[in-house]
């Protein structure tokens, strides 16, 4: 049975969360713009001071020159040695407020509760795991992406990452609304609570991590291009150095790839339970494997000396493109055993 009132409450929660995320995107963008502009001014002043003061005859920095990391840290310059052991990812001029970024993070947390709440209500309305169609896949993936980003931002300064995560999450929720499916029961092949919860939960969690990885990859490519041209201006100055961004990109994919591997394995097991074979070259199975191959190629190219980090990052973004094609084209236009998008075509 389906509870229409709970389903309606779920829809309202998702729509309200989209509106809150739009406000969070504005706040994060303002934070990045303000921080970048202040950082750019700070670097210009520092460069002029270096020219005026000069470098000591022995090649060492003059004693009255303040270390950049301590002068521009997020905390007060009197912070003890922990700041020296683990400096902030982005050095901020002391006079720059983080107000806009903090507001953006607070709004993101509010939206996270809204999306997670809407997802739970959707599941309660149909009395099953909300993972049976494209719309439900979208809201669960968005929930995971928001939880990961919001939690990560509590431990480290990741306010600069806000626009790069919130925008694609809004796109995912928007796509889910475009291909919205009324709350209903599952088709027989999917009516297996254990494998539905294991296989599709792994898929949504790995996709959420891939989204964050792609966001970091785009940030890295933009910052790296600016560094190569020596034109780090505007909001780009508010991002961490390119090398740090690339390292974070790689780190997120290191976590996401094993999850996608288990997605592939559990899908094969579920296929044997539902259809009596582990692999049948169904379009969805093929594309799941293609995505696995592309991300495996990224990790391999990242560890290969003949590849630059930029070229390897392009491979990672190709993997995200394959995920998008798998979610849209394969679900909507290609007929197969996995044609359960729930969208009338």
């Amino acid at each position: 049975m389906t509870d229409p009132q709970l389903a309606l409450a779920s829809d309202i929660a998702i729509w309200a969360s989209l509106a809150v995320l739009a406000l969070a995107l504005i706040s994060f963008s303002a934070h990045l713009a303000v921080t970048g502009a202040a950082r750019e001014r700070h670097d210009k002043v520092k460069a002029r001071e270096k020219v005026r003061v000069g470098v000591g005859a022995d090649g060492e920095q003059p004693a009255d020159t303040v270390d950049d990391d301590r002068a521009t840290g997020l905390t007060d310059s009197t912070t003890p040695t922990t700041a020296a052991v683990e400096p902030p990812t982005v050095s901020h001029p002391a006079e720059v407020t983080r107000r806009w970024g903090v507001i953006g993070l607070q709004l993101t947390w509010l939206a996270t509760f809204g999306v997670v709440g809407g997802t739970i209500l959707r599941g309660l309305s149909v009395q099953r795991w909300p993972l049976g169609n494209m719309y439900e896949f979208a809201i669960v993936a968005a929930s995971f992406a928001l939880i990961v980003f919001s939690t990560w931002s509590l431990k480290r300064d990741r306010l600069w990452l806000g626009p790069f995560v919130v925008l694609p999450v809004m796109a995912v929720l928007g796509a889910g609304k475009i291909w919205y499916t009324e709350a209903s029961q599952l088709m027989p092949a999917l009516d297996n609570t254990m494998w539905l919860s294991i296989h599709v939960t792994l898929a949504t969690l790995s996709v959420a991590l891939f989204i964050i990885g792609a966001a970091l990859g785009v940030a890295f490519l933009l910052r790296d291009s600016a560094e190569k041209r020596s034109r780090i201006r505007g909001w780009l100055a508010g991002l961490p150095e390119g090398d740090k961004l690339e390292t974070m990109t790689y780190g997120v994919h290191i976590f996401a790839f094993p999850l996608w591997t288990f997605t592939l394995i559990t899908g094969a097991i579920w296929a044997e339970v539902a259809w009596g074979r582990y692999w049948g070259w169904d379009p969805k199975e093929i594309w799941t494997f293609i995505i696995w191959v592309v991300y495996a190629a990224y990790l391999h190219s990242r560890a290969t000396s003949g590849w630059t980090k930029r070229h390897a990052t392009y491979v990672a973004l190709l993997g995200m493109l394959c995920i998008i094609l798998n979610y849209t084209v394969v679900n909507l236009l290609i007929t197969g055993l996995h044609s359960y998008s729930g969208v009338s075509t």
Side-chain angles (χ1 to χ4, degrees):
M1 294 181 61
T2 301
D3 189 328
Q5 292 184 339
L6 289 178
L8 177 61
S10 170
D11 295 342
I12 293 174
I14 299 299
W15 278 116
S17 299
L18 265 171
V20 174
L21 284 173
L23 296 176
L25 178 62
I26 295 172
S27 296
F28 280 132
S29 300
H31 168 78
L32 195 57
V34 170
T35 302
R39 181 60 182 160
E40 185 180 358
R41 291 194 302 269
H42 179 273
D43 289 344
K44 289 180 179 179
V45 170
K46 182 182 175 183
R48 286 197 296 267
E49 288 179 350
K50 283 185 176 181
V51 172
R52 178 171 56 83
V53 176
V55 179
D58 56 355
E60 295 182 355
Q61 187 178 0
D64 60 344
T65 302
V66 181
D67 181 75
D68 179 60
D69 284 336
R70 288 181 290 126
T72 60
L74 289 172
T75 57
D76 187 74
S77 59
T78 60
T79 302
T81 56
T82 54
V85 174
E86 189 176 349
T89 304
V90 187
S91 55
H92 294 269
E95 72 275 8
V96 175
T97 178
R98 299 169 69 241
R99 179 184 306 160
W100 287 109
V102 172
I103 292 174
L105 183 58
Q106 292 171 340
L107 289 171
T108 303
W109 267 109
L110 179 61
T112 300
F113 288 125
V115 175
V116 172
T119 302
I120 294 173
L121 288 172
R122 175 76 174 200
L124 293 175
S125 71
V126 292
Q127 298 179 1
R128 60 168 172 80
W129 286 80
L131 294 167
N133 49 61
M134 289 177 66
Y135 172 68
E136 292 171 357
F137 188 98
I139 61 176
V140 174
S143 297
F144 278 132
L146 289 172
I147 290 171
V148 171
F149 167 69
S150 299
T151 305
W152 196 18
S153 298
L154 288 179
K155 298 184 66 176
R156 295 174 181 270
D157 175 30
R158 295 290 181 262
L159 299 178
W160 52 267
L161 184 58
F164 294 93
V165 172
V166 171
L167 184 59
V169 167
M170 291 179 63
V172 169
L173 291 174
K177 285 298 185 182
I178 290 174
W179 294 302
Y180 177 78
T181 304
E182 295 290 342
S184 60
Q185 298 305 312
L186 294 174
M187 61 184 292
L190 294 179
D191 196 9
N192 187 313
T193 302
M194 182 181 73
W195 289 112
L196 175 69
S197 60
I198 294 174
H199 172 65
V200 190
T201 298
L202 284 171
T204 51
L205 178 56
S206 54
V207 167
L209 291 175
F210 283 137
I211 289 173
I212 295 176
L216 285 165
V218 170
F220 158 66
L221 292 174
L222 293 173
R223 172 76 187 201
D224 186 64
S225 296
E227 289 177 356
K228 290 182 183 302
R229 298 194 306 267
S230 298
R231 296 181 61 183
I232 308 174
R233 298 177 180 176
W235 61 270
L236 286 173
L239 295 176
E241 293 79 3
D243 287 342
K244 293 182 179 179
L245 284 170
E246 197 281 330
T247 300
M248 284 187 281
T249 302
Y250 178 65
V252 171
H253 283 91
I254 284 292
F255 279 99
F257 182 73
L259 292 174
W260 191 258
T261 302
F262 285 118
T263 298
L264 190 64
I265 294 171
T266 56
I269 297 173
W270 190 9
E272 198 279 331
V273 173
W275 299 307
R277 89 289 186 277
Y278 291 100
W279 191 266
W281 297 105
D282 186 73
K284 197 75 171 180
E285 295 171 347
I286 294 172
W287 273 92
T288 302
F289 181 66
I290 289 174
I291 293 169
W292 184 89
V293 169
V294 172
Y295 280 112
Y298 161 67
L299 296 179
H300 177 72
S301 62
R302 174 61 169 70
T304 303
S305 58
W307 282 71
T308 65
K309 292 180 179 180
R310 285 186 63 87
H311 290 159
T313 304
Y314 286 131
V315 177
L317 295 182
L318 177 61
M320 177 50 60
L321 176 61
C322 290
I323 289 176
I324 295 172
L325 292 175
N326 186 40
Y327 177 76
T328 56
V329 176
V330 176
N331 277 340
L332 297 172
L333 301 180
I334 300 178
T335 303
L337 291 174
H338 290 79
S339 299
Y340 51 83
S341 66
V343 179
S344 298
T345 56

